[in-house]
Amino acid sequence: MRRTFWVLTMATLVTLLLSTGNAEAAGNSITAPDIGADVGQHTSMVRDGSGNPVIAYYDATTGDLKVVRCFDAGCTSVSIATPFTGTDLGQYPSLVLDASGYPVISFYDATAGDLVVLHCGNANCTSGNVSVAFDTAGDVGAFTSLALDGGNPVVSYYDVTNGNLKVARCNGPDCTGGGWIALADSADVVGQYTSLALDASGYPVVSYYDVTNGNLKVLHCNDAICDGVGESITSPDSGNVVGSHSSLALVAGNPVVSYYDVTNGNLKVLHCNDANCAGSNESITSPDTVGIVGAYTSLELDGSNNPVISYYDLDDANLKVLHCDDVNCGDDESGHITSPDTTGVVGQYTSLIMYSGNPTVGYYDATHGQLKVLRCGDANCTSANSVARPDVGGDVGAHTWLALDGSGRPVVSYQDVANNDLKVMRCNDANCAGNDESIASPDTAGAVGPDTSLALDASSRPVVSYYDIGNGDLKVLHCGNDNCTSGNSITSPDGATSDVGWYTALALDASGNPVVSYTDNSNVDLKVMHCNDPNCDPTPGPPTNGPESIKSPDTAGDVGRDTWLALDASGNPVVSYYDQTNGDLKVLHCTDPNCDPALPPGNGPESIKSPDTAGYVGAFTSLVLDASGNPVISYYDGTNADLKVMHCTDPNCDPAVNGGEIMNSPDTTVSGIWLFTSLKLDAAGNPVVSYFDSSNQDLKLLHCNEPNCAPGGDSITFVDTVGSVGHDNSLALDSSGRPVVTYRDWTNGDLKVLHCDTANCTAPASYPPAGTDEMPVSLHFANVWLDEDDNGVPETPVGAVTFSGTGKFSRGTPYPSGGYNTIDTAITSMVLTGTVAGYSVTIKAGTEQGLPASPGKIRERTPGTLYPADTWFDLLFEVDSADPDYGTLWNCNGQSVRLNGVTMAIPAAGVDYLVPSCPLAPPPASCAVACQGGGLLGDGEVMPMSPMRMCTGYDPAGNAIWVSVGGIAEWPGTAARPDSLADSSAGSGFNYTALGAALGAVAVALAAGAWFARRRWTR
């Protein structure tokens, strides 16, 4: 797109030299910070104070312990140390950082059979390290897990000789002053796969594996040294062979453990309801049962104390990550399980940490014998932006220019730097993800291809302007077919003997003839060419009508760099560019299509303004015209090292008109000179800018929330952080307003294409608002029936009923589900009122009825946008009460009742009537089946009701969209009820009705119905 002069500082060189090989999937970054012969087993990872990973791991080739300290969140620049060497040591490391950020590591010396504790002398473990063989009694020290108590190490580990669990506590930070070693559990062969945490009193809590019995065990010491008197040892899961590969955390002092179920090949999660896991009624779930999964688990808790677990899929030999949507991992978690790395045999020896709500995982790549680090792009490692490398041949991807064809597929011009050729790629899908795009090299004559600019003609054939390095010429390519593989026209329309053709920008006029702005580098002038034919053929006479119109509208000093061109409504060029002499941004607005200053009065001379002269400003410009024809320009503020956006208040950007232009600096966090801005306007006229952050060597995207990018509320996103990426970027917006960006991967020398999943290149904004925000709720039933004879079949139609009120909702992080974004939510509270057969009915939920929040989901209607109308709630309104009469029918088939949180068979006695499930009559017109849930009817008490599923239509793929809901309907007692609504049982007080509802933030008219049943539930 433009010529670039690279000025590398020493700091930049160091960063590039330490950059690691990488690949990425779906917005996540994956790096290999150590690619030694066979490294990366037994990883243990933490984050330092800057949020950067520090990892201890085992070098299987040399038999050494190694430590990598990352200098950025994605581990693209690292320091690698070998703080302890020997014949075979470094297995089972466990790492924490002391108060100074220095690593403390416990590990196993397999040669000596010792437990070793290492305290590094600096942050990188390169000097001043102190190591102590803390336990040398027999073969000890495998399966270590370390924590610090006041800076002093506490370690759980396995005594190989005796088959026992041991716990050691040092009485100083480097363990040189001795301490205590406790035989914590010697019953049978126990103590493998230990995971340790300290409770609020500093007492150890350890999960581990009972080899003899095949059980998961939990130790909770009642003192700091586990002296063997009164410690709690339990086996909370003893079903089948379970408990290996455990990882433990504490929630309010109660253990949460992930582990492997060997018998069933499942991942399991234990959440104890007391500090010792002693109640025999702990929550035990199997959130992933697909294939053989669950080895090498590592568990952390998110901000809501929901488990986040990395683990290994043995069937597919992949890394997997689970982010549970509740503290027990008890819901259907299938939508929260991802496989972010599937390249080769990967995912053993995982270690997971959370940072800013997103997981980072260290793990072993067995195929390549490498340590790898996954940095997730969102909380579920499912960031849906597509990043593709469609051309990885040599050093390619410089000077990109992007357009989208009529089907939304990218067409890109760029330079092949290795061969000095012009290349053109046409993708065969919107994401360029098929690895089979059409890539042509239409000009290979000499050294050509930088400073490209591309447009598509009326037949979708590329037209490209670019620079011929060898001859110092401007060149124009007009492709003979869509893929530029035949029939191409290549011309050099500027016959000047000087060096011309830098910084080209191209547009097509109404006749399809190119208009090009560029630099005359010999004379350092701005030039504008308007071709007389679609090929810019300078041959005189018909049919080409050459030579072309070529003018130099600005010759004042060194001008014309970083040009960007648009045509106004009259076809007159508007050009933004850099005045290097004065360090100013300049704007040219021609008064005729050729920028000819000699045209009759009224048309010339051209308008040339310098709307921003504050410091050194105006490099790397990009320009579009708003709906009024006023320029909007992104550019670089070299004085302050900021991104700037200008919105002109008139078509000429004349500072003397309308009070001057509106200028803002929406991103002031970058420093450097490589900004490469590219700008478009969204449907509301708000600027969207892609640019390069040279401080972090990343591609960034700005989406302003109003046309002037006024401070506050703008979205700024790091969209690609893998290596040094974002040079020579070019931006387009697809038909849904989602950014598509082409750019150069400087680290790997590749062309990259980003297609964002949302308008801001972020995960979709969750809906509805947070639980503290109250919002209106309206439930509409198109058809309501009454069941008057208590037979479970609705007979009497009532008509349409609407319930209105307010509700509060919690929200979760969006994740893909079936190709559509989904968020988890819950009703915190809700009160709705309506009238049925002349009587007031109140629907209550959540805290309004003394109930817990009720979980549900919201799904988007079309990719990229969430709609409340496509809302479903799998609601279980469960009463937390000792009264056994409280209950909820919790599925649509009437098979079980949930009483006090325990599922059991429907009791034969004590229930006078159970409202059953049944088909709706008539079913929705758009779906074949609809199912109405039922509920237990209470006597003077709030009655929970079952979920309901209702088909509301079809998604674009033809799949039925189901709505699953539930609720509580309270019918006030009255002595004057009509006979048709009278309770058939004796008694007084309140009566309750089961009610199905489709819950949304706006009124949702369902093409199905709801029905009511009334009956006393006697005891």
Side-chain angles (χ1 to χ4, degrees):
M1 185 172 66
R2 51 176 67 87
R3 179 182 299 274
T4 306
F5 298 94
W6 298 100
V7 181
L8 296 179
T9 65
M10 183 56 66
T12 304
L13 286 171
V14 170
T15 299
L16 293 176
L17 287 171
L18 290 177
S19 293
T20 57
N22 54 72
E24 72 274 17
N28 306 322
S29 76
I30 299 175
T31 58
D34 191 349
I35 54 175
D38 189 0
V39 295
Q41 297 180 27
H42 302 284
T43 67
S44 180
M45 178 170 62
V46 296
R47 281 196 185 274
D48 64 17
S50 300
N52 300 331
V54 183
I55 311 168
Y57 56 102
Y58 179 57
D59 184 333
T61 301
T62 62
D64 294 334
L65 171 72
K66 300 185 82 171
V67 176
V68 59
R69 177 175 285 272
C70 302
F71 298 131
D72 58 84
C75 293
T76 60
S77 300
V78 301
S79 164
I80 300 175
T82 307
F84 201 93
T85 61
T87 304
D88 188 9
L89 49 85
Q91 297 180 50
Y92 306 107
S94 182
L95 177 148
V96 294
L97 300 181
D98 67 13
S100 299
Y102 298 173
V104 183
I105 308 168
S106 61
F107 60 94
Y108 176 51
D109 180 343
T111 301
D114 294 341
L115 168 70
V116 180
V117 179
L118 168 73
H119 199 149
C120 294
N122 60 21
N124 297 330
C125 298
T126 54
S127 64
N129 305 327
V130 177
S131 62
V132 173
F134 195 76
D135 190 350
T136 60
D139 188 354
V140 295
F143 299 102
T144 78
S145 184
L146 170 76
L148 296 183
D149 186 9
N152 298 340
V154 182
V155 189
S156 61
Y157 57 102
Y158 179 53
D159 180 337
V160 181
T161 299
N162 299 296
N164 295 334
L165 171 70
K166 301 182 82 170
V167 176
R169 176 180 286 268
C170 300
N171 62 7
D174 57 11
C175 298
T176 56
W180 298 265
I181 298 174
L183 181 61
D185 189 352
S186 58
D188 301 315
V189 179
V190 294
Q192 295 182 11
Y193 302 103
T194 78
S195 183
L196 175 144
L198 302 179
D199 68 14
S201 300
Y203 301 166
V205 184
V206 186
S207 62
Y208 55 103
Y209 181 50
D210 179 340
V211 181
T212 300
N213 298 294
N215 295 339
L216 172 70
K217 299 190 80 173
V218 175
L219 161 74
H220 194 166
C221 298
N222 65 354
D223 58 84
I225 61 174
C226 302
D227 64 5
V229 179
E231 321 302 344
S232 168
I233 299 176
T234 59
S235 298
D237 192 351
S238 57
N240 302 315
V241 179
V242 295
S244 60
H245 301 276
S246 76
S247 182
L248 174 143
L250 301 180
V251 175
N254 297 344
V256 180
V257 186
S258 60
Y259 55 103
Y260 181 45
D261 178 342
V262 177
T263 300
N264 298 297
N266 295 337
L267 171 70
K268 298 192 81 171
V269 176
L270 162 76
H271 193 160
C272 298
N273 60 12
D274 64 275
N276 296 329
C277 304
S280 299
N281 57 351
E282 321 306 329
S283 167
I284 299 177
T285 59
S286 298
D288 191 352
T289 61
V290 179
I292 302 176
V293 295
Y296 302 102
T297 77
S298 180
L299 177 145
E300 287 281 323
L301 303 176
D302 67 13
S304 301
N305 287 326
N306 296 338
V308 185
I309 308 169
S310 59
Y311 55 103
Y312 182 54
D313 181 335
L314 286 80
D315 266 356
D316 297 322
N318 295 335
L319 171 71
K320 299 188 84 170
V321 176
L322 161 69
H323 195 155
C324 298
D325 66 352
D326 65 280
V327 293
N328 296 328
C329 302
D331 292 339
D332 179 3
E333 304 291 351
S334 58
H336 306 142
I337 299 173
T338 59
S339 299
D341 192 353
T342 60
T343 306
V345 180
V346 293
Q348 299 173 30
Y349 303 102
T350 76
S351 181
L352 179 143
I353 54 179
M354 298 293 288
Y355 183 71
S356 297
N358 297 343
T360 298
V361 186
Y363 56 102
Y364 178 53
D365 179 341
T367 299
H368 301 99
Q370 296 176 353
L371 169 70
K372 298 185 83 171
V373 176
L374 162 73
R375 177 191 176 195
C376 294
D378 60 37
N380 294 327
C381 302
T382 56
S383 178
N385 299 332
S386 165
V387 180
R389 281 191 173 99
D391 192 349
V392 295
D395 187 359
V396 295
H399 305 278
T400 75
W401 200 287
L402 167 75
L404 301 181
D405 67 15
S407 299
R409 296 171 299 195
V411 183
V412 190
S413 60
Y414 56 103
Q415 186 192 22
D416 179 339
V417 179
N419 298 297
N420 276 321
D421 294 339
L422 172 69
K423 300 188 84 170
V424 176
M425 174 181 72
R426 181 180 287 270
C427 297
N428 60 14
D429 64 274
N431 296 330
C432 304
N435 295 320
D436 56 354
E437 320 308 329
S438 169
I439 300 176
S441 298
D443 192 350
T444 60
V448 296
D451 297 322
T452 77
S453 182
L454 175 144
L456 300 179
D457 68 14
S459 300
S460 195
R461 296 177 180 179
V463 183
V464 186
S465 60
Y466 56 103
Y467 179 56
D468 180 338
I469 304 170
N471 297 299
D473 287 343
L474 168 71
K475 299 189 82 171
V476 175
L477 161 74
H478 196 158
C479 295
N481 59 19
D482 288 353
N483 298 327
C484 302
T485 55
S486 63
N488 303 326
S489 165
I490 299 176
T491 59
S492 299
D494 189 335
T497 57
S498 57
D499 186 1
V500 296
W502 292 16
Y503 305 108
T504 78
L506 175 144
L508 301 181
D509 68 14
S511 300
N513 297 340
V515 182
V516 187
S517 60
Y518 56 102
T519 304
D520 178 339
N521 193 56
S522 293
N523 299 299
V524 290
D525 295 337
L526 171 68
K527 300 188 81 171
V528 177
M529 173 180 70
H530 194 162
C531 296
N532 297 314
D533 65 279
N535 295 332
C536 297
D537 189 339
T539 304
T544 62
N545 300 317
E548 320 310 326
S549 167
I550 300 175
K551 304 297 178 183
S552 298
D554 192 350
T555 60
D558 185 348
V559 295
R561 301 175 186 269
D562 296 326
T563 78
W564 204 287
L565 176 143
L567 301 180
D568 68 14
S570 300
N572 300 338
V574 183
V575 185
S576 60
Y577 55 103
Y578 181 50
D579 177 345
Q580 183 156 305
T581 298
N582 299 296
D584 295 339
L585 170 70
K586 298 191 82 170
V587 176
L588 162 75
H589 195 163
C590 297
T591 56
D592 64 277
N594 294 332
C595 300
D596 188 346
L599 285 178
N603 286 9
E606 319 312 324
S607 168
I608 299 176
K609 303 297 178 182
S610 298
D612 192 351
T613 60
Y616 291 95
V617 294
F620 305 103
T621 77
S622 182
L623 174 145
V624 292
L625 302 180
D626 69 13
S628 299
N630 298 338
V632 183
I633 308 169
S634 60
Y635 55 102
Y636 178 57
D637 177 344
T639 299
N640 299 297
D642 293 340
L643 170 71
K644 294 190 81 170
V645 176
M646 170 187 292
H647 196 160
C648 296
T649 57
D650 66 282
N652 296 330
C653 300
D654 188 342
V657 175
N658 297 326
E661 320 315 323
I662 302 172
M663 289 174 275
N664 286 296
S665 299
D667 191 349
T668 60
T669 61
V670 300
S671 62
I673 60 171
W674 307 334
L675 275 170
F676 306 108
T677 77
S678 184
L679 175 140
K680 292 291 184 287
L681 300 182
D682 67 15
N686 300 334
V688 183
V689 187
S690 60
Y691 56 105
F692 178 58
D693 177 343
S694 64
S695 288
N696 298 293
Q697 305 282 302
D698 294 336
L699 175 68
K700 296 180 80 172
L701 186 114
L702 162 73
H703 195 160
C704 298
N705 69 349
E706 56 91 48
N708 299 324
C709 298
D714 297 329
S715 167
I716 298 177
T717 309
F718 286 90
V719 286
D720 192 349
T721 62
V722 183
S724 179
V725 292
H727 311 253
D728 297 325
N729 65 78
S730 182
L731 168 78
L733 301 180
D734 69 14
S735 58
S736 298
R738 295 174 294 193
V740 183
V741 188
T742 57
Y743 54 103
R744 187 183 187 189
D745 179 339
W746 178 267
T747 300
N748 297 294
D750 296 339
L751 169 70
K752 297 186 82 171
V753 178
L754 163 74
H755 196 161
C756 295
D757 190 55
T758 64
N760 296 334
C761 298
T762 58
S766 54
Y767 182 94
T772 56
D773 299 331
E774 194 166 70
M775 61 184 295
V777 178
S778 180
L779 309 186
H780 181 77
F781 300 87
N783 297 286
V784 174
W785 292 267
L786 291 180
D787 174 18
E788 298 185 71
D789 55 7
D790 296 333
N791 66 354
V793 178
E795 302 96 359
T796 306
V798 173
V801 176
T802 298
F803 294 84
S804 300
T806 58
K808 294 182 180 179
F809 299 83
S810 66
R811 62 183 179 185
T813 301
Y815 57 88
S817 178
Y820 294 84
N821 289 310
T822 301
I823 68 169
D824 295 321
T825 186
I827 301 175
T828 303
S829 63
M830 186 178 72
V831 178
L832 307 177
T833 59
T835 301
V836 178
Y839 290 87
S840 176
V841 176
T842 300
I843 301 173
K844 296 183 179 181
T847 56
E848 292 292 340
Q849 201 58 65
L851 304 175
S854 303
K857 301 176 188 294
I858 292 179
R859 183 177 120 168
E860 67 182 357
R861 175 178 298 161
T862 56
T865 307
L866 294 169
Y867 283 87
D870 288 331
T871 302
W872 73 91
F873 287 89
D874 297 312
L875 300 184
L876 270 178
F877 294 105
E878 177 184 337
V879 178
D880 184 11
S881 171
D883 186 338
D885 292 328
Y886 283 95
T888 298
L889 178 67
W890 73 324
N891 60 29
C892 205
N893 297 315
Q895 296 170 344
S896 60
V897 172
R898 192 171 173 86
L899 299 175
N900 300 322
V902 179
T903 302
M904 60 188 69
I906 297 175
V911 177
D912 180 46
Y913 182 63
L914 181 71
V915 178
S917 304
C918 75
L920 284 177
S926 58
C927 297
V929 178
C931 181
Q932 168 69 65
L936 294 177
L937 303 184
D939 179 13
E941 303 162 2
V942 173
M943 187 279 307
M945 68 155 293
S946 72
M948 150 184 107
R949 298 185 74 235
M950 185 176 294
C951 178
T952 62
Y954 293 91
D955 63 22
N959 301 313
I961 299 173
W962 288 91
V963 175
S964 299
V965 298
I968 298 173
E970 178 179 338
W971 200 304
T974 174
R977 278 195 293 267
D979 290 342
S980 61
L981 293 175
D983 194 341
S984 60
S985 300
S988 62
F990 289 85
N991 293 279
Y992 300 89
T993 179
L995 172 64
L999 179 59
V1002 297
V1004 181
L1006 300 179
W1011 59 281
F1012 296 85
R1014 334 146 266 102
R1015 184 72 180 178
R1016 292 286 302 278
W1017 181 21
T1018 59
R1019 301 194 281 276

